[in-house]
Amino acid sequence: MSSRLINEYLREDKLPHIWCPGCSHGITMRAIVKAIDNLNIEKNNICIVSGIGCSSRAPGYMDFNTLHTTHGRALAFATGIKMANPKLKVIVITGDGDCAAIGGNHLIHAARRNIDITTIVFNNNIYGMTGGQYSPTTPQGERGTTAPFGNIDKNFNLCNLVKAAGATYTGRSTAYHVNMITKLVEEGIKNKGFSFIETLSICPTYYGRKNKKGNVVDMMNYLKNNSINVKAAEKLSDEQLKDKIIVGELYKTQEPEYTEEYKKIIESFQKER
Amino acid sequence: MATSLKIKNEKKLIVKSEWCKGCGICAAFCPKNVLSIENEIVKIVDIDACIKCGQCEMRCPDYAIYLGGKDDE
Ligand SMILES: Cc1ncc(C[n+]2csc(CCOP(=O)(O)OP(=O)(O)O)c2C)c(N)n1
Ligand code: SF4
Ligand code: SF4
Ligand code: SF4
C-alpha cells in the first residue's frame, strides 16, 4: 500500500522510481500532484509534457495524459497540444539543462506568446542524467565534469529571464520549501497565461559530489538556511542578498493569452463566411 | 477544525521499506526524532513521540513513509 495521493496520481507499477537516494525530483513531483489534488482538476483534463533528463522522467510516473518528448523540446510539443486542445491544462516538467540550454529558445518564445502553459523547472544546477556537465544555471565558480577548474560562465536567473520575455507568472521555491512549491504550482495553473515555477533542487550524486556540498541532509539544510522570502528580501540591500535564494511569488500580471487570441482570428473568418 | 484534527490523529505512521533508499531526509527533519536510519533503511525508533505532523511524508523523495488512514493499513 501507499498513501492516497500516490495511489491516486502516480503509476505505482512503475515505482520505486530510478532517481538516486536523496534526489529531490521525487519531492517536487509529489508537490505537483498535491497541487493538482488541491485544485480538484479531473485527471483527464491534464496533460503533462517533458523533455529529456532525470527530471524529465517524472511524467513517466504520473498517471495523467503524459508525453515524454525530445531534449529541449517539451515546450514546442506542449504548444502544439495546447493549440489543438485549449481546454487541456498543460503542464511542462523540465530540467535546467532541458529548458535553459538546448531548450532556451523555446522557453523565451513560449513566454513571449504568453501561452497558457505551466512550466516547472527542477533546477539542480547541473546535467544530472549525463553525468554532471555544467548547465546555464551552474553558479559561477562551481564545478562540473566540463568545468573541472570552475565554471566561468555567468549563470542565468531563470525567473528574470522568462519575465523579461513576457511570462505573466513567475515563482521560485526549493526542495526544502515543499508546501511553497505546491502553492506556486496551484497559482501557476490558475493563471491564464505562461507561468514559470523554478524549484531549486538537489542532485547529490553529481552536483553535490563535484562541489563537495556534503551529504543529502547538508544540501537540504543549505536550501533551508540560504533562502529568504521575497517580501523580506525587499527590505534588504543587494549586498545583503548576495548568495541568497529569493523564494515566493515573484511576478504576476495579466496579458492577452495566445490560444484565445488565435481563437479570435478563427472566429473573425467564421463570421465573414 | 475539530473534526479534521481528529481525523489526522487517527492516522498511523506507515513505512513502506521496499521503497526506502535510506537518504536520511525524513529522520533529519522530523521535529520529534521519531526516526533513524539503520542499515540504509528508515526505522521508527520512538513512535510515542510522533505528533503526526506529516513532514516525513512531505519530504520523502521515495514515498516510503506516510500517515495512512484506516483504509491504508
Ligand atoms: C539532442 C540531445 N542532445 C543531448 C542529449 C543528452 N542529454 C540527455 S539529458 C541531458 C541534460 C539533462 O540535464 P537537465 O535537463 O538539467 O536534467 P537533470 O538530469 O539534471 O534532471 C543531455 C545533455 C540528448 N538526449 N539529446
Ligand atoms: S543524477 Fe542527480 S538528478 Fe539524476 S537522479 Fe541522480 S541525483 Fe537525481
Ligand atoms: S509525522 Fe512528524 S513527528 Fe511523526 S515521524 Fe513524521 S515527521 Fe516525525
Ligand atoms: S526520506 Fe524516505 S527514502 Fe529517505 S530515508 Fe526516509 S523513508 Fe527512506
Side-chain angles (χ1 to χ4, degrees), chain A residues 185-205:
Chain A
V185 172
E186 279 176 42
E187 292 304 314
I189 292 173
K190 282 197 266 177
N191 173 48
K192 193 133 196 66
F194 192 75
S195 306
F196 185 82
I197 292 108
E198 178 182 16
T199 312
L200 274 266
S201 304
I202 61 178
C203 168
T205 305

Side-chain angles (χ1 to χ4, degrees), chain B residues 13 29-32 34-35 49-56 67:
Chain B
L13 188 67
F29 295 101
C30 167
K32 297 289 171 188
V34 175
L35 309 167
C50 175
I51 52 169
K52 300 177 186 179
C53 64
Q55 286 229 29
C56 50
L67 293 170

Side-chain angles (χ1 to χ4, degrees), chain A residues 1 17 19 26-27 30 176, chain B residues 16 21 57 59 61-63:
Chain A
M1 271 314 280
H17 54 62
W19 294 318
I27 301 172
R30 182 183 178 280
Y176 176 79
Chain B
K16 189 177 171 84
K21 292 177 187 161
E57 175 174 355
R59 297 190 188 286
D62 284 274
Y63 324 122

Side-chain angles (χ1 to χ4, degrees), chain A residues 45 47 49 67 75-90 115-117 257-260 262-263 266:
Chain A
N45 293 338
C47 185
V49 186
L67 200 65
L75 276 164
F77 285 88
T79 299
I81 293 164
K82 186 72 187 176
M83 291 297 280
N85 190 350
K87 285 200 189 71
L88 279 179
K89 298 271 181 211
V90 180
I115 187 162
D116 187 16
I117 293 171
E257 192 274 327
Y258 195 67
T259 59
E260 285 185 351
Y262 187 64
K263 191 165 157 240
I266 294 170

Side-chain angles (χ1 to χ4, degrees), chain A residues 1-53:
Chain A
M1 271 314 280
S2 54
S3 71
R4 179 195 62 85
L5 200 68
I6 300 310
N7 188 266
E8 198 168 322
Y9 295 104
L10 297 191
R11 295 173 178 148
E12 281 199 34
D13 56 326
K14 301 278 191 294
L15 294 175
H17 54 62
I18 53 129
W19 294 318
C20 305
C23 172
S24 67
H25 290 347
I27 301 172
T28 311
M29 180 164 80
R30 182 183 178 280
I32 295 169
V33 297
K34 185 100 182 7
I36 293 169
D37 187 55
N38 288 351
L39 291 175
N40 228 330
I41 308 170
E42 163 61 31
K43 269 160 82 166
N44 270 330
N45 293 338
I46 290 181
C47 185
I48 305 189
V49 186
S50 69
I52 298 291

